[in-house]
Amino acid sequence: MSDPVQNDNAEDVGSVPSFFREHAEFLHLLDEVATSASNVESWTLPNAPEEEMRLIREMKKTLDVYQEQPTCLDPYLERIVSRLMSVVQEYVYAFHDTMYKPESPITVTRMDGIFDLLYTLCKVRGYKVILRFFPHGVADVEPVFATLWRFSVDLEASNWPARYTLLIWLSLLAMIPFDIESIDSGTTDLPAIAELGTSDVSLMGRWVELGKLFLCKPGCEMEGAAVMLSRLLSRRDSAAVLRPEFIEWAAREITNAARPIDTTAVNAGLQIGSVLRINGALRVLCHLFSAMDSHATLDAQIPMLLDIFQMDAFDQHSITRKLISKAVQRLALLMLPATNAEMGRAYARPSLRENLSNNAGAASDSMRDDEAESPDVEVPLEMEAFVGILLQKLHDKDTIVRWSAAKGIGRISERLPMALAREIVLAVGDILKDETLVDNGLIDVAMTTEYSWHGALLCLAELSRRGMLYAQALRQIVPWVVRGLTYEIQRGDYSVGSNVRDAACYVMWSLARIPNPSSKRVFAEMSVEMATTLISVAVFDRESNVRRAASAAFQEHSAFPHGISVLQLADFFSVGIMRNAFVVTSRKIAEFDEYKHPLLHHLCTVTVYHWDLKTRELAVKALRELAPLSPAY
């Protein structure tokens, strides 16, 4: 395989590599390592030779540099992974052939360096990409399974990269298009594993039990086992018996682990071992629901799963709550037809004739928004409970949980009938109104929580970019989103709300992707207020990420007054420096009449009263620059 032609004298932008600069040296080291590791006589050694390990450490150090730009490795991945896996495949076959002998000459730790290098490749580029170059023949199934079984006898050993690599390799082999029973040779003399007490001696049964063994292990082994089990249980030959049995086992595992050991304690929490058991079972369910193509075999287990999703025992563990959110949404998506999403997109997409027509198009668009309905879709009764769980998680104290719930609500709404989707939009909008005081059109957020506002705005952004915000809801929601652009609550000597302002910018960005023409016209009616507020945030916000987010949202809207001219002044780099944004950029933008008074108003009512001293000082300097433009104001 010839190397891709690349210019070795090309310069990188900043410190981020633009191509695999060390490819020649790396491939040379790869050949040396592979040659050393493929020496059959060395497989009886307890560890790899020191020179081989030194080369592997050097290669890992080179790969770690490309974690931010992993695609630079793509032209060479096939060559790298195939070379390593050819050595591993030979080792696995030889290990499988000799492992049944009383004194096996091949050690389980000889290839730790090679497995560690493969794990580094998975860490940098992702296991899904690396798996493309793994061997996946039918003859590989039993040797890989037997080797992983032998490596699992001592789970306290430090060769977890080897077990992780074998787990993801088995996840690929689980997708072979042949019945597992047809390739089961009936091997029963595998070494005993103390943690496994199964009496099932079939390959499929042992495969599932071996995967369960790793679900309570922290780190990559849990993720590898979850992927492997999900792909194995999504097969047709396991759907009838193994899949329902495993889901019931996972439900029992979660329920049993969620019970506190010391029930007499006042604040009885879960032990770390119990949390790992719960997270492992939930990870499998998340992957399994995503891999399945029908919920027909889950009817008996859904009530049990609903009880688990609504348990209160996980309040102290953010990863567990995130996994529950992900499992809820994936189960809900599995129970809804996927075709309705495409119908909804076609429903919302205008034609060229409608875009060019002003009068006739307006009437037809209004009729579409008010009267058109999605085709009849049978919505399961459990869907209300699923959506309720996700709506509740929009108030969660952890961002990862709120973000997962927001994406889940957006995906589910896309598949629901339009009437139900509109109810969800209104329910999300009501979250912004909770605990909020409105006096003469002014929205007071002093008594609100930033978690609820952040989750609701993230959800509105997901709904908006999927075309779910219809014209009537847009009129109700946009004023609250505009208020979210300046959301800030002071707590002592600090403030909260920067994440809310950032989420509001995301909503503004997503509003530019509304495909419905009538909603676009409603949006155009409010464009001046949104444009002026966005620009005020882009130049006067304290946080650089919020200023840049507001600038990015502004550039998506072509209907804003003087859009291109203003964007050239408030670009990503101009608003990145706080002093430049406050003093220089704001002065240039204020020369446009539409933005002059809103910028002055924002300075006089918001920024000069800011809790941060530096922000107040810059606000005064900005006011000195802008005041001569409108002395009367």
Side-chain angles (χ1 to χ4, degrees), residues 353-363 365 521:
R353 183 185 300 275
E354 292 173 345
N355 281 336
L356 297 177
S357 174
N358 293 326
N359 298 327
D365 293 336
R521 277 191 292 275

Side-chain angles (χ1 to χ4, degrees), residues 255-542:
T255 303
N256 295 334
R259 296 171 182 167
I261 298 177
D262 185 6
T263 57
T264 61
V266 178
N267 295 320
L270 300 179
Q271 300 294 326
I272 184 62
S274 300
V275 176
L276 291 175
R277 290 167 57 193
I278 294 170
N279 290 350
L282 287 173
R283 283 185 187 276
V284 180
L285 294 179
C286 291
H287 287 291
L288 181 59
F289 295 155
S290 179
M292 291 171 57
D293 54 4
S294 173
H295 69 284
T297 59
L298 299 179
D299 293 340
Q301 289 78 31
I302 288 178
M304 185 187 307
L305 294 173
L306 257 178
D307 292 339
I308 292 174
F309 296 153
Q310 295 174 333
M311 294 178 66
D312 298 329
F314 317 123
D315 292 343
Q316 299 178 1
H317 307 282
S318 58
I319 298 297
T320 305
R321 297 197 307 274
K322 177 192 173 183
L323 291 173
I324 289 177
S325 174
K326 186 176 292 187
V328 167
Q329 61 178 280
R330 291 188 176 180
L331 179 57
L333 292 174
L334 182 63
M335 299 173 67
L336 290 172
T339 55
N340 197 53
E342 296 299 326
M343 293 178 182
R345 292 186 183 276
Y347 153 84
R349 187 184 300 116
S351 65
L352 178 61
R353 183 185 300 275
E354 292 173 345
N355 281 336
L356 297 177
S357 174
N358 293 326
N359 298 327
S364 62
D365 293 336
S366 299
M367 183 179 299
R368 180 188 294 111
D369 257 355
D370 297 335
E371 300 178 3
E373 290 292 339
S374 305
D376 292 337
V377 177
E378 184 178 353
V379 180
L381 297 177
E382 297 84 1
M383 201 56 56
E384 182 178 359
F386 293 150
V387 174
I389 293 172
L390 294 177
L391 287 174
Q392 185 63 33
K393 292 193 178 298
L394 292 179
H395 303 267
D396 197 273
K397 62 182 179 179
D398 288 299
T399 302
I400 57 174
V401 181
R402 298 193 299 270
W403 182 225
S404 176
K407 291 188 289 186
I409 292 175
R411 291 164 181 161
I412 292 173
S413 301
E414 200 174 20
R415 298 190 182 186
L416 290 174
M418 289 301 299
L420 297 180
R422 291 176 179 180
E423 291 184 10
I424 293 178
V425 171
L426 295 177
V428 175
D430 289 340
I431 296 177
L432 299 175
K433 303 176 184 178
D434 292 343
E435 303 177 354
T436 305
L437 300 178
V438 181
D439 185 15
N440 294 328
L442 298 178
I443 302 175
D444 184 7
V445 297
M447 302 299 294
T448 62
T449 58
E450 71 274 15
Y451 304 139
S452 300
W453 269 67
H454 183 243
L457 289 173
L458 285 177
C459 189
L460 287 176
E462 291 295 321
L463 292 168
S464 175
R465 73 186 191 90
R466 288 175 168 83
M468 308 308 296
L469 294 187
Y470 56 98
Q472 183 180 356
L474 204 58
R475 287 191 176 92
Q476 301 176 10
I477 290 173
V478 166
W480 295 86
V481 177
V482 172
R483 180 62 183 89
L485 290 170
T486 57
Y487 185 100
E488 189 168 27
I489 301 176
Q490 187 171 352
R491 303 278 175 84
D493 58 349
Y494 69 98
S495 69
V496 296
S498 61
N499 58 343
V500 176
R501 300 195 299 275
D502 185 75
C505 293
Y506 179 34
V507 179
M508 289 295 184
W509 177 90
S510 63
L511 288 175
R513 283 152 177 76
I514 293 179
N516 198 299
S518 59
S519 297
K520 283 186 175 181
R521 277 191 292 275
V522 174
F523 181 79
E525 297 172 2
M526 308 177 179
S527 61
V528 175
E529 181 184 5
M530 289 187 289
T532 55
T533 308
L534 270 176
I535 283 300
S536 299
V537 174
V539 295
F540 292 143
D541 197 275
R542 179 176 180 267

